[in-house]
Amino acid sequence: MLFRRKKKEIQAEKKDLPDGLWLKCKNCGEILYKTQLEKNLWVCPKCGYHMRITSRDYMSILLDDGKFEEEIAPGLRSGDPLEFPNYKEKLETYRKKTGLDDAALAGVGYLDGKKIVLFLTDFNFMGGSMGSAVGEKFYRAAQKAIELRVPLVALTASGGGARMHEGIISLMQMVKTSLACAELDEARIPYINVLTDPTMAGVMASFASLGDVIIAEPGALLGFTGPRVIKQTIGEELPPGFQRSEFLLEHGMVDGVVHRKELKATLSKILDVLRVPENGEG
Amino acid sequence: MRFLDFERPIYEIEKKIEELKKLTREHPEFAEEIKTLEEQSNRIKVRIYSQLTEWQKVQLARHPDRPHAVDFINGMIDDFVELHGDRHYGDDPAIVGGIGKLEGLRLVVIGQEKGRSTNEKIRRNFGMPHPEGYRKARRLMELAEKFSLPVFTIVDTPGAYPGVGAEERGQSMAIAENLKVMLQLKTPLLTLIIGEGGSGGALGIAVADRVLAMQYSIYSVISPEGCASIIWRDGKLAPKAAEALRLTPEHLQRLGIVDEIIEEPLGGAHRDPETAIKSAKERVLYHLKELVVKDPEEVLRERRERYRRIGYIEEVALSS
């Protein structure tokens, strides 16, 4: 029953935890020793549940030194094009809370010795939603990959998709990021998506679906419309496992479902074969 | 004719005029009164329509009697031949596509159709497309490029369909692929928003060189109801969200999303669809004529530049 969690059972995610020694898996309820869990990359050793982690956690999992050699567009932030009620304050709150400027990070780094551009969205910053800053950051990350002629790996976690506080401007970031993908394509730069829990709506319906290879972490919620809205619309129970990674695999929408422990090795193998053509354009 | 709450005074006076008109054969003396009432009706319309709130404009954009995509196609396109199916899975009646001529200009037309009668609405899924609809649109866009025809898309949808089958068949992928194709298509694209431009569902056929909007249309990242229920946890605050989202054409033009607003007859397109469609036809033709004489490579380059620029960012000194 991996996919039918009752609301009441959903509790402590990593981010909410005090600095205690123990925590409970929100999927199977197992009490886990924190250092053990950390070693297991925040995957429950008992049930295999992949907990949500931060963009910096993923950097340390994927990059050789756990950090960028060069960060792309640091300090890039969204403006407030609509003067949306309380948006500025909200951005400030999330900046303080996460230490991030907006919901995305990007930089140049090494994965198993292979130079790549890594782009990541962070669920902890307004649900990983995409506004002007995320769209622009992705575009610049893609440009950097084209300029350096190295692959782009984009790891996404975004519950809200396009950020509604920037209204139509957020929607247009779907176009801007898709434009970046078209340019990657034309320059024959390998582009790999890693979809983590959750990747939905405007992010899923743009750059997160346009990779040459699309990999998903186990059990991630992935789709266009959120399950609650679908359930409301059709007025029926949703099939078990609906919109989870394994469901997308079954329907031919992703190339593979890969355990977090295998993620770096899998990407390394893919990047070893899908290399930038030496006599490509660019 | 169905009417919205704020249209009631217009509806009532029009009903009175109609009744009097029926009696004029026997009572010619009513003619004077009818004239007075008609003037009064016009004054009321001007007053009501000059003071519309954003929420009232949303309701107008969704008005059940507004002309739909098929009405625009019938009123604008000669020798229209509808082309069905995505060649993979099925045909989606929520998206109508085909080829035809606009005043002799050969083109491909793709439009989202909500349907009018109850049966028609169900058949067309209230204008909410499935992946096969987007894939049909994509196929037709590629057909257009092959034969150097411009693409004219008509947007009117609450959004892409939120359903199990749509997710199973890759709603996200279908939309994402269309965005990319529209950014690579070496032929002009023009979008006309006639009613509701519902988020990614609208965008899936709306990346264009020119985006025109009817006066009482909307285009938004999320419905006001959805926005209100997420941000303020109360769907009843939709009118507040409608203000905050800046989803009407004037705002969209200021934000650089819409290029031109097409004025509607007094009281909205549903009161005089023929005039509304005629105005749209003129402006669509004007822009398409401008686009088709340009080098398609140049058109594409400008289209890409347009979307490359959209965004409101600040760059602060290193913070972390």
Side-chain angles (χ1 to χ4, degrees):
Chain A
M1 298 308 279
L2 186 58
F3 308 116
R4 290 190 146 182
R5 274 176 270 120
K6 285 189 196 111
K7 255 210 166 131
K8 278 199 171 154
E9 290 171 49
I10 298 179
Q11 21 183 288
E13 278 278 344
K14 188 195 160 194
K15 60 183 165 83
D16 304 322
L17 288 170
D19 284 331
L21 288 172
W22 300 93
L23 63 98
K24 193 173 164 187
C25 171
K26 75 170 190 177
N27 185 57
C28 70
E30 181 79 356
I31 306 290
L32 301 161
Y33 196 41
K34 204 175 155 191
T35 44
Q36 173 202 13
L37 192 55
E38 207 166 349
K39 236 179 259 166
N40 210 38
L41 308 179
W42 302 98
V43 177
C44 173
K46 189 168 176 234
C47 72
Y49 175 70
H50 282 54
M51 299 188 181
R52 286 178 186 165
I53 55 177
T54 67
S55 49
R56 291 186 200 282
D57 292 332
Y58 277 114
M59 277 168 64
S60 65
I61 292 172
L62 296 178
L63 295 177
D64 291 350
D65 299 324
K67 58 181 196 302
F68 294 133
E69 178 186 66
E70 175 201 347
E71 192 177 343
I72 294 166
L76 190 72
R77 298 175 162 190
S78 268
D80 182 13
L82 311 186
E83 298 180 338
F84 197 93
N86 302 320
Y87 182 40
K88 279 202 180 95
E89 294 78 2
K90 198 161 212 158
L91 285 172
E92 232 9 88
T93 309
Y94 278 98
R95 278 171 197 148
K96 282 198 186 114
K97 195 176 133 193
T98 61
L100 298 166
D101 284 300
D102 210 295
L105 274 179
V108 182
Y110 291 85
L111 188 148
D112 258 0
K114 290 178 269 284
K115 194 171 189 174
I116 61 162
V117 170
L118 178 64
F119 171 90
L120 316 107
T121 64
D122 197 310
F123 187 78
N124 295 313
F125 195 105
M126 294 189 78
S129 56
M130 174 164 66
S132 299
V134 173
E136 180 69 19
K137 177 96 68 170
F138 182 82
Y139 189 84
R140 291 198 200 173
Q143 287 303 301
K144 192 74 175 179
I146 293 169
E147 181 197 315
L148 299 175
R149 300 202 59 71
V150 300
L152 173 66
V153 175
L155 185 143
T156 47
S158 176
R163 189 180 295 165
M164 61 190 142
H165 308 74
E166 290 175 52
I168 197 79
I169 300 297
S170 291
L171 192 71
M172 294 301 144
Q173 302 311 306
M174 292 171 68
V175 188
K176 187 189 271 187
T177 56
S178 299
L179 173 60
C181 296
E183 291 174 5
L184 287 166
D185 226 28
E186 290 154 13
R188 299 168 74 200
I189 298 296
Y191 170 41
I192 316 293
N193 289 118
V194 180
L195 310 178
T196 76
D197 186 48
T199 300
M200 300 296 291
V203 168
M204 189 64 181
S206 61
F207 71 94
S209 286
L210 292 171
D212 297 306
V213 175
I214 306 175
I215 285 171
E217 277 197 343
L221 183 71
L222 311 168
F224 185 69
T225 314
R228 196 176 47 87
V229 173
I230 295 179
K231 202 173 149 185
Q232 262 173 18
T233 308
I234 64 173
E236 288 167 33
E237 282 300 315
L238 300 172
F242 180 62
Q243 291 182 317
R244 298 288 168 179
S245 305
E246 297 73 13
F247 174 92
L248 270 79
L249 182 68
E250 190 187 321
H251 287 92
M253 299 301 156
V254 297
D255 290 287
V257 177
V258 177
H259 193 284
R260 195 173 284 163
K261 275 184 151 176
E262 301 298 323
L263 191 54
K264 185 173 181 177
T266 306
L267 286 170
S268 180
K269 276 193 272 181
I270 293 167
L271 295 173
D272 213 26
V273 175
L274 302 183
R275 296 187 201 173
V276 179
E278 280 183 19
N279 51 358
E281 21 170 317
Chain B
M1 161 135 329
R2 287 160 286 193
F3 60 93
L4 303 167
D5 274 353
F6 63 87
E7 291 182 301
R8 184 180 287 275
I10 304 170
Y11 171 80
E12 276 170 0
I13 204 163
E14 279 182 351
K15 204 168 70 181
K16 213 188 253 172
I17 293 170
E18 232 158 80
E19 277 162 12
L20 283 175
K21 274 185 179 165
K22 278 185 209 149
L23 299 171
T24 42
R25 203 175 297 161
E26 284 161 43
H27 303 273
E29 69 273 19
F30 286 163
E32 192 73 9
E33 194 173 339
I34 289 172
K35 208 177 146 218
T36 318
L37 281 172
E38 276 174 342
E39 280 164 10
Q40 200 186 332
S41 157
N42 258 338
R43 276 199 305 274
I44 292 172
K45 275 188 215 166
V46 170
R47 182 172 53 76
I48 290 177
Y49 280 83
S50 62
Q51 298 170 356
L52 292 174
T53 64
E54 296 291 279
W55 179 237
Q56 286 171 330
K57 289 179 192 168
V58 170
Q59 290 169 287
L60 272 179
R62 296 169 175 169
H63 198 296
D65 292 325
R66 265 182 92 72
H68 287 174
V70 289
D71 303 314
F72 279 84
I73 293 172
N74 289 336
M76 290 169 83
I77 309 295
D78 301 314
D79 303 329
F80 181 69
V81 180
E82 187 171 357
L83 303 174
H84 291 276
D86 71 344
R87 301 293 189 269
H88 289 287
Y89 178 83
D91 183 45
D92 185 352
I95 292 190
V96 180
I99 49 176
K101 290 175 196 160
L102 176 67
E103 291 290 328
L105 180 76
R106 295 173 301 126
L107 41 63
V108 164
V109 188
I110 297 161
Q112 291 160 332
E113 173 57 44
K114 289 180 168 178
R116 199 163 305 279
S117 68
T118 305
N119 282 341
E120 196 61 8
K121 277 181 188 157
I122 291 166
R123 190 172 81 81
R124 303 235 182 237
N125 201 28
F126 300 84
M128 293 182 281
H130 279 76
E132 44 275 21
Y134 294 105
R135 292 185 177 126
K136 169 165 71 178
R138 177 182 170 185
R139 175 175 82 85
L140 296 177
M141 288 177 195
E142 283 165 350
L143 182 77
E145 185 185 48
K146 183 172 175 184
F147 295 103
S148 300
L149 304 174
V151 181
F152 168 37
T153 69
I154 303 171
V155 167
D156 192 15
T157 181
Y161 186 60
V164 174
E167 295 290 326
E168 284 175 337
R169 300 194 291 278
Q171 189 76 287
S172 309
M173 265 75 183
I175 292 172
E177 280 158 12
N178 275 20
L179 301 183
K180 195 168 137 196
V181 164
M182 290 183 278
L183 291 160
Q184 293 182 309
L185 209 67
K186 283 178 190 149
T187 199
L189 285 155
L190 181 143
T191 292
L192 173 66
I193 306 162
I194 59 169
E196 250 184 308
S199 196
L203 189 63
I205 62 162
V207 176
D209 303 301
R210 303 282 158 87
V211 179
L212 315 183
M214 297 303 290
Q215 187 179 0
Y216 299 117
S217 66
I218 55 168
Y219 191 10
S220 179
V221 68
I222 188 169
S223 70
E225 293 90 339
C227 177
S229 72
I230 294 171
I231 294 198
W232 299 301
R233 311 218 174 268
D234 183 1
K236 286 194 226 58
L237 291 176
K240 185 179 166 190
E243 301 276 341
L245 284 166
R246 317 274 189 219
L247 41 64
T248 51
E250 294 74 21
H251 291 300
L252 297 165
Q253 192 173 36
R254 184 177 53 77
L255 291 163
I257 307 303
V258 158
D259 298 293
E260 189 177 307
I261 302 167
I262 296 164
E263 205 178 318
E264 296 187 19
L266 186 59
H270 57 291
R271 304 203 156 261
D272 184 359
E274 211 173 300
T275 305
I277 292 169
K278 196 165 154 270
S279 313
K281 183 177 178 179
E282 261 169 44
R283 297 314 298 162
V284 169
L285 185 63
Y286 171 86
H287 286 285
L288 280 178
K289 274 184 171 168
E290 249 187 25
L291 290 167
V292 293
V293 295
K294 287 178 145 183
D295 174 10
E297 300 268 356
E298 178 66 11
V299 171
L300 174 61
R301 208 184 53 73
E302 285 175 12
R303 184 187 318 143
R304 285 177 162 209
E305 186 51 32
R306 170 197 183 117
Y307 288 100
R308 167 72 191 93
R309 278 198 311 263
I310 301 177
Y312 286 70
I313 50 161
E314 299 161 3
E315 290 190 67
V316 297
L318 273 177
S319 68
S320 52

